[in-house]
Amino acid sequence: MQDLFGICDYDALSIAVHQNFTLVAFEPLLIAMSQKELLDFQCTGIVDFLCVTDFPLDKTLKVICFMAKCKFEKILSDEIISVLIQKFDEVESDEEREKCMTLWFEFFDVLDKKEDESEYKGLFVQNVLIALQAYLRKGGSEQEIRNLTRKPMIKVAICLLYNSKCIDLQYDEKRVLPTTEQEMGKNG
């Protein structure tokens, strides 16, 4: 195991297992292993950790922007999106809202890369889309889903993905969910 993870991650994993601590990790393999209960330890991603603490929204958005620039694969989840939106809705200052929205736009800068420059773009779109779809599916009715899509951060995400020709909108069991063009071909 030490050869697989390296000394630092192995030591952190050992402490988490033996002391019953939750490990905060960037490493997707560690997070996946904890979710599958392979080694009987708890692990959470860095953004999940920041969302459950009282970490400021603008700083959390800076972290996710940094992660996108470093080409992390799974940055968002439906729970993370939900917390980001809740925190954004609580921001009262127009200046702070603008700062956070600017960072949200920056997160999607990956979409501006030319296709041949970045294979990461496809992974980024796929992972963001999975998180967006899961978040939107939380709406119980068609109207609730439409209300969720009107949230400023969701609207921006969908518009940026749509405008960069990464997604289209598709009706799915009477729900409007963003989907990739590849998914559209499979379904329709």
Side-chain angles (χ1 to χ4, degrees):
M1 292 257 306
Q2 189 172 345
D3 290 338
L4 177 64
F5 294 116
I7 292 172
C8 294
D9 284 342
Y10 179 78
D11 288 346
L13 180 60
S14 259
I15 292 168
V17 169
H18 295 304
Q19 300 293 323
N20 200 28
F21 290 145
T22 298
L23 181 63
V24 178
F26 281 109
E27 183 62 48
L29 179 60
L30 286 173
I31 296 168
M33 288 176 76
S34 74
Q35 291 170 347
K36 300 293 183 194
E37 298 177 7
L38 297 173
L39 297 176
D40 194 29
F41 72 101
Q42 293 180 347
C43 187
T44 188
I46 188 71
V47 180
D48 295 290
F49 173 75
L50 296 176
C51 285
V52 297
T53 62
D54 200 18
F55 205 68
L57 176 61
D58 64 322
K59 291 184 179 181
T60 302
L61 290 168
K62 285 178 184 178
V63 169
I64 68 167
C65 289
F66 177 77
M67 291 174 75
K69 285 179 183 154
C70 293
K71 299 183 178 181
F72 278 76
E73 286 185 28
K74 188 173 186 283
I75 301 170
L76 298 179
S77 67
D78 58 320
E79 292 90 8
I80 291 170
I81 290 173
S82 191
V83 170
L84 294 176
I85 288 170
Q86 178 187 351
K87 286 185 175 187
F88 185 79
D89 287 347
E90 293 169 359
V91 173
E92 294 178 9
S93 157
D94 286 343
E95 183 179 312
E96 188 66 23
R97 287 175 73 85
E98 184 176 333
K99 178 181 178 183
C100 291
M101 194 55 75
T102 299
L103 289 165
W104 187 239
F105 271 91
E106 187 180 316
F107 173 63
F108 286 94
D109 278 352
V110 169
L111 301 175
D112 291 336
K113 305 257 190 238
K114 291 181 182 173
E115 195 71 44
D116 57 356
E117 286 181 26
S118 174
E119 292 178 22
Y120 175 67
K121 179 180 174 180
L123 287 172
F124 176 87
V125 169
Q126 179 182 3
N127 288 317
V128 168
L129 193 56
I130 288 168
L132 275 173
Q133 288 173 337
Y135 172 77
L136 292 173
R137 284 189 176 106
K138 288 181 177 182
S141 68
E142 183 179 348
Q143 187 57 45
E144 288 172 359
I145 290 172
R146 290 188 188 282
N147 289 341
L148 292 175
T149 62
R150 290 186 182 112
K151 296 281 187 180
M153 293 180 81
I154 296 297
K155 189 184 286 189
V156 164
I158 291 172
C159 285
L160 290 173
L161 289 166
Y162 181 79
N163 288 341
S164 59
K165 297 183 180 16
C166 295
I167 67 166
D168 206 342
L169 294 180
Q170 173 185 342
Y171 289 92
D172 179 19
E173 298 171 17
K174 297 183 181 176
R175 300 176 182 197
V176 179
L177 296 175
T179 186
T180 63
E181 291 176 0
Q182 291 171 332
E183 287 176 346
M184 291 276 299
K186 290 179 194 174
N187 296 331

